[in-house]
Structures are given as structure tokens and as C-alpha cells.
């Protein structure tokens, strides 16, 4: 199966250069950029990061849109595999063209950064042409020859230098940074505090920025005051405006703060969660989330909801909710807004992102592991009637309906009842523990629709050190996607090793003559520009007979 994505479909990866974030899969594949994919382990259903082991460009194919009931969405080829459960509780694949109405795997949690980033390096984030740096204990290496003649004495008298004349890697971290002709200074390594996170979230939801201003306004004065207090603590100049409508606005009058906020979050209708945020400490992300909801959201007893006209913000907010352990879903609706000063009506698409910590319709159901539960009952030595009685059911039909898979899905709370009874009877319920306590939730595929896009497609292989991982995370809101099948590269000579893996919890019997694989041939329209062979350092050329993995010969594993 050619399990593939179009060039511009985003996947959620970790890279050594930029940490966690969203990357176009085509760019990652073309550059063979070192990366770790956010993946689940089929054995434990825990989500973590695993090294991308190969980069694959596939033939041109029709692109389909897979939509889930929660609003998650991904663009793939129609034979692309998603993940679900079999009756034994094992992980199994299902092609997207057959997935409508099926429950498929999505992340219930995202991993924290292994190395958190508690500060922002202003020299790394901002345009150095507009900055001056200050240091009482020395500036490190300064190229004074690049400073305009006559200005060197001025800078040296203030223990300063133009940022363009300073080598960032040689400069001390305890520098102060300022815009030229400005008195406001900030530390080069600006702490990423919880209050800063809240202010960014509030700005994204309720603010705008110009070259020398950051402005927020809200009817809740306490929120505006909280925003102002943070910038006041850094000696920024503030301007207040209490409007007749009951809205209070505050303006942070600072080119430096404006440049940083715009660099992190954007401006106008494109404001979104910073790329850098995915590596910030969890308390900072929690504060950013609170700022989003305080700015343009609502709180109910059962859930919070964020409202936005920015589809990209809705997508990243859904990932943020998952990162913080919320059950997230999103939907859009068409709205008409009346703009009073111009006396006109404006139609817009509004996105709503729901966040919940309580079980409700989203994420509450699991594909029924009927055979697994039957095996557990037999191991416990219980009849259906005895099991039903122990679980508080009136009839054994409550057990038989599950074991005979009368229902395609079952509530998590029902599985918890089964687990409790069978564990008390001495059964090893570890696979049920994986399902209930792992990092995976299930979401129903609402639609699989053909698009008008026909183009080359791309894929990632995630089999670090030969481990059975074979999945990565991508799409709007987050959907787990399968690796492609193996490819024989142009230029290869030798026998092909058949690779088989069983992701399920139960053994699968293979009998003589059983069909277990297929070969698909794609004709090249031109000669390969990078054929398989010795010039590429290819490891399997001219192999004879079955061969084990030679991944240990890759450069990153050399001692």
C-alpha cells in the first residue's frame, strides 16, 4: 500500500534544530531532515518520540480528505492506512477508503519536551539590524570595524554595541537588548514565565500589534489589568482607554515588545500559538491556554470552548489541548457579524474548539475487543451469568453481547468494569490496562472524500533500530498515520527480503500457499537521478537470501 501524504500536509515532529513543531512532510522528505516522529508504541499504546528511519517520495496519486467526527482531518491517498483495534485488542490497520464509520486512533496526550526551553534568546528571534546590546562585564567578540566611523566611542561609553557587530555565539547570555534610540531594555535570555504565557494567549485571542504598539481590549477589566501588570513589571510605557461600550483597552508602547510578540505569535488575522511554545514548560503552556480562553472563550461546567476565525489557530489549539491532557474536538460554522460603524454585515467562518477533562461523547468509545474479553472470562473461570452478576448486570446477555461483538464499540467505563472483575479473579489484564491507561483515544471517521488534487506524495518510515513503531502524527487536530509499505529503489539488484510483523496481541497462523504480500511496479518516466547502489552507500545491494536489518551500519550508530 502506498500510504502517503501530499507535500504540504503537516506532520508533528521533533527536530534537533527547532524542537517540537509542525513541518510540511514534503520538505522533510526532500531534505532528509533528521527528525523524531510523535508515535505510539503498538505494544504499550504509549505516545513518545521515535527516530525517523527513512524518507520516501512516492508516485503521483489522487488525494483524499479523511474527516473525523471530532473535526480532525488529514489529506492522504485513499489506500493510506489508519489504525484501529482488532477483536483481540491488538493494533491493526485499515485503509482510509474503507474507514468511514470506523473508530481510529488519535492521541490522548502528547509528549513533553525532553529538554524544555525556559528562555527566549532575543538575538536569535529578532532582526539584529535594529538592536543595540549592553553589558557591564564585556560584550564578547565585537567587530568594531563594522561600526560607522565616529560611533565607536559613543557605544563604548555606554558599554554597548550594535547587535550586528556582536557574534551571538561568543556574546554572554547576560546581555541587555534594546531597540536603537530606545531606553527600554530586556535581558537577552528573556524568561518564559507563566505570566508571559498567559499574556501571549490573551494577545492571540484578543489583541493586535503595530510596529511600536501591542494592544489588547476586553470587557473584563481584570484581564486587561493583568496584561498591563506584566509589561509594567518590565518598565514598558502603557496607555489606557476606557470606552463608552464598557471595553477597556491598554496599549504597550514599545517597539521591542511589539517585535517580539509579532515574531512569536504573528499579527492580524494570522495570530497563532508560537512555534517555540511546544518546547516550553507545561505550566507556561497551561497559562497560555488560560489566556486564550480568557480572551475569546467560554467556560462551562463540563468544558471550555475557544472561538476563532483562524483555522490554523483552531488546529494548533487542538494540539495544545491534547498536549495538556484535554479531550479536544473542533467544528466550524458560518456566522454573520454586524459591524456598527460601517453599518454592514460580514459573513465569516467561525471555528470552535472544545476542551474537556470529563468523559463525554468524544473519546469515550473503544472498538470492542470481544475475543480478549472472552479469553479473560475463561481464564477467570466465570460463566457469563457469574461475570454479569459480579459486574452488577441483570442478565448474562450484557456479557454475551460484548463477547459476540453485537456492538462495534464499547464505552471505556464498561471496559473498566470488566477489568476490575477479571483482575480480582487473578487474570493478567495488562492488555486492557494498555487500552484504558495508555495515551490513545479513538475517534470515528465521519467521511472520506475525493479531492481534485493529483500530485506526488511523501511518507516517513519510523522503525528506529528495527522497532515495530511504524506510525507518525499529522493532519489537523492530530491523527496517527501508518508507514508506507517497503520499496525497492531504482538501481537495486538482489533478492527481496519479505518482512512480516504482527501488531496484534494474538498469534496469526500462516499456512503453505497463503497469500501474504504483493509486488506493485511503477514505471519511471526518466532515468533515476539517485539510483540505489554503492555511490549512495546502499547496504543491501546484491544481497542473496534473507537478511537481517543493517540499520546499525548507518552513520548515526557508528561509535
Amino acid at each position: 500500500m502506498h500510504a502517503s501524504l501530499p507535500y504540504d500536509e503537516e506532520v508533528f515532529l521533533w527536530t534537533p534544530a527547532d524542537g517540537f513543531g509542525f513541518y510540511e512532510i514534503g520538505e522533510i522528505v526532500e531534505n532528509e531532515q533528521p527528525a523524531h516522529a510523535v508515535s505510539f508504541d503498538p505494544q504499550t499504546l504509549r505516545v513518545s518520540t521515535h527516530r525517523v528511519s527513512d524518507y520516501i517520495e512516492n508516485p503521483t496519486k489522487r488525494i483524499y480528505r479523511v474527516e473525523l467526527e471530532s473535526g480532525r482531518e488529514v489529506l492522504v491517498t485513499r489506500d493510506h492506512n489508519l489504525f484501529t483495534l482488532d477483536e483481540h485488542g491488538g493494533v491493526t490497520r485499515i485503509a482510509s477508503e474503507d474507514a468511514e464509520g470506523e473508530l481510529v486512533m488519535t492521541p490522548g496526550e502528547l509528549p513533553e519536551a525532553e529538554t524544555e526551553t525556559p528562555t527566549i534568546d532575543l538575538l536569535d528571534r529578532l532582526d539584529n539590524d535594529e538592536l543595540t546590546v549592553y553589558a557591564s562585564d564585556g560584550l564578547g567578540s565585537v567587530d568594531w570595524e563594522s561600526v560607522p566611523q565616529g560611533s565607536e566611542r559613543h557605544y563604548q561609553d555606554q558599554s554597548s554595541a550594535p547587535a550586528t557587530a556582536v557574534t551571538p555565539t561568543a556574546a554572554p547570555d547576560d546581555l541587555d537588548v534594546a531597540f536603537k534610540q530606545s531606553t527600554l531594555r530586556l535581558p537577552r535570555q528573556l524568561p518564559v514565565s507563566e505570566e508571559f504565557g498567559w499574556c501571549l494567549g490573551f494577545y492571540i485571542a484578543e489583541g493586535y500589534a503595530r510596529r511600536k504598539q501591542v494592544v489588547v481590549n476586553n470587557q473584563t477589566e481584570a484581564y486587561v489589568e493583568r496584561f498591563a501588570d506584566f509589561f509594567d513589571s518590565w518598565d514598558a510605557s502603557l496607555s489606557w482607554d476606557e470606552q463608552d461600550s464598557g471595553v477597556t483597552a491598554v496599549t504597550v508602547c514599545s517597539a521591542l515588545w511589539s517585535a517580539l510578540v509579532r515574531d512569536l505569535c504573528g499579527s492580524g488575522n494570522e495570530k497563532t500559538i508560537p512555534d517555540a511554545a511546544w518546547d516550553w514548560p507545561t505550566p507556561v503552556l497551561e497559562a497560555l491556554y488560560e489566556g486564550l480562553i480568557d480572551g475569546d472563550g467560554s467556560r462551562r461546567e463540563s468544558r471550555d470552548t475557544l472561538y476563532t476565525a483562524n483555522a490554523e489557530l483552531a488546529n494548533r489549539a487542538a494540539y495544545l489541548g491534547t498536549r495538556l491532557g484535554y479531550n479536544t474536538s473542533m467544528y466550524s460554522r458560518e456566522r454573520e457579524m454586524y459591524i456598527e460603524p460601517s453599518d454592514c454585515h460580514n459573513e465569516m467562518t467561525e471555528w470552535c474548539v472544545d476542551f474537556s477533562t470529563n468523559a463525554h461523547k468524544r473519546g469515550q468509545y473503544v472498538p470492542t475487543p470481544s475475543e480478549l474479553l472472552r479469553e479473560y472470562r475463561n481464564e477467570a473461570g466465570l460463566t457469563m451469568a457469574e461475570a454479569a452478576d459480579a459486574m452488577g448486570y441483570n442478565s448474562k446477555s450484557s456479557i454475551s453481547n460484548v463477547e459476540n461483538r453485537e456492538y462495534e464499540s464499547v464505552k471505556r467505563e464498561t471496559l473498566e468494569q470488566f477489568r476490575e472483575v477479571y483482575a480480582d479473579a487473578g487474570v493478567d489484564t495488562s492488555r486492557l490496562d494498555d487500552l484504558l491507561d495508555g495515551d490513545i483515544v479513538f475517534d470515528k471517521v465521519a467521511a472520506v472524500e475525493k479531492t481534485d488534487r493529483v500530485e506526488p506524495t511523501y511518507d516517513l518510515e519510523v522503525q528506529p533500530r528495527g522497532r515495530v513503531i511504524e506510525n507518525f502524527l499529522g493532519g489537523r487536530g492530530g491523527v496517527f498515520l501508518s508507514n508506507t509499505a517497503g520499496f525497492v529503489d531504482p538501481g537495486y539488484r538482489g533478492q527481496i527480503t519479505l518482512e512480516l510483523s504482527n501488531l496484534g496481541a494474538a498469534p496469526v497462523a500462516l499456512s503453505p500457499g497463503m497469500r501474504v504480500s504483493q509486488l506493485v511496479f511503477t514505471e519511471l518516466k526518466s532515468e533515476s537521478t539517485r539510483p540505489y547502489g554503492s555511490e549512495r552507500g546502499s547496504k543491501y545491494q546484491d544481497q542473496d537470501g534473507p537478511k537481517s536489518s543493517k540499520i546499525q551500519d548507518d552513520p548515526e550508530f557508528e561509535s
Side-chain angles (χ1 to χ4, degrees), residues 487-524:
F487 277 83
V488 178
D489 295 307
Y492 170 80
R493 298 188 308 271
Q495 292 185 333
I496 301 170
T497 298
L498 174 63
E499 302 176 22
L500 292 177
S501 62
N502 177 14
L503 299 184
V508 176
L510 300 179
S511 58
M514 179 185 292
R515 292 177 295 172
V516 294
S517 64
Q518 65 175 347
L519 286 178
V520 178
F521 294 91
T522 301
E523 183 179 358
L524 296 180

Side-chain angles (χ1 to χ4, degrees), residues 194-369:
E194 293 176 42
E195 280 304 292
F196 183 52
W198 183 90
C199 288
L200 290 181
F202 195 72
Y203 162 78
I204 293 166
E206 202 73 325
Y208 63 92
R210 300 187 177 116
R211 186 178 182 277
K212 296 184 178 181
Q213 297 177 332
V214 180
V215 184
V216 297
N217 53 79
N218 196 274
Q219 289 185 324
T220 304
E221 188 173 350
Y223 293 155
V224 181
E225 289 178 347
R226 180 178 178 179
F227 187 89
D229 286 346
F230 171 78
F231 291 97
D232 184 54
S233 71
W234 290 99
D235 297 324
S237 177
L238 304 175
S239 174
W240 292 83
D241 180 19
E242 295 185 7
Q243 302 169 9
D244 293 339
S245 61
V247 171
T248 300
V250 65
T251 301
V252 180
C253 305
S254 167
L256 184 57
W257 276 116
S258 175
L260 179 59
V261 167
R262 285 182 286 124
D263 179 76
L264 288 170
C265 306
S267 59
N269 294 329
E270 303 303 317
K271 300 190 305 295
T272 192
I273 295 167
D275 289 331
W278 307 103
D279 296 297
W280 290 349
T282 298
V284 177
L285 292 182
E286 290 172 342
L288 190 151
Y289 166 82
E290 294 295 332
L292 284 171
I293 301 300
D294 288 341
D296 201 1
S298 65
R299 288 185 170 86
R300 302 176 182 87
E301 184 177 350
S302 60
R303 71 181 186 275
D304 297 337
T305 303
L306 173 70
Y307 305 99
T308 178
N310 183 350
E312 176 60 21
L313 174 57
N315 171 45
R316 295 198 177 195
Y319 274 89
L320 176 63
T322 303
R323 166 70 174 76
L324 297 176
Y326 290 102
N327 196 338
T328 63
S329 61
M330 68 188 92
Y331 59 94
S332 63
R333 58 189 180 187
E334 300 303 315
R335 298 198 64 181
E336 186 174 291
M337 180 181 296
Y338 175 65
I339 305 174
E340 186 173 357
S342 58
D343 190 28
C344 67
H345 292 267
N346 180 37
E347 293 185 355
M348 59 173 285
T349 300
E350 180 182 63
W351 285 89
C352 305
V353 187
D354 288 339
F355 310 88
S356 174
T357 55
N358 299 318
H360 61 299
K361 186 175 182 180
R362 306 294 183 206
Q364 186 180 2
Y365 289 89
V366 175
T368 306

Side-chain angles (χ1 to χ4, degrees), residues 103-118:
L103 287 169
V104 297
M105 291 181 170
T106 62
E109 292 188 20
L110 294 178
E112 299 180 2
E114 291 186 12
T115 303
E116 294 179 341
T117 307

Side-chain angles (χ1 to χ4, degrees), residues 450-469:
K450 181 168 66 175
T451 72
D452 59 1
R453 297 175 60 173
V454 180
E455 56 197 83
T457 55
Y458 302 81
D459 200 5
L460 303 174
E461 179 192 80
V462 186
Q463 289 181 289
R465 297 181 183 267
R467 290 186 61 189
V468 183
I469 300 300

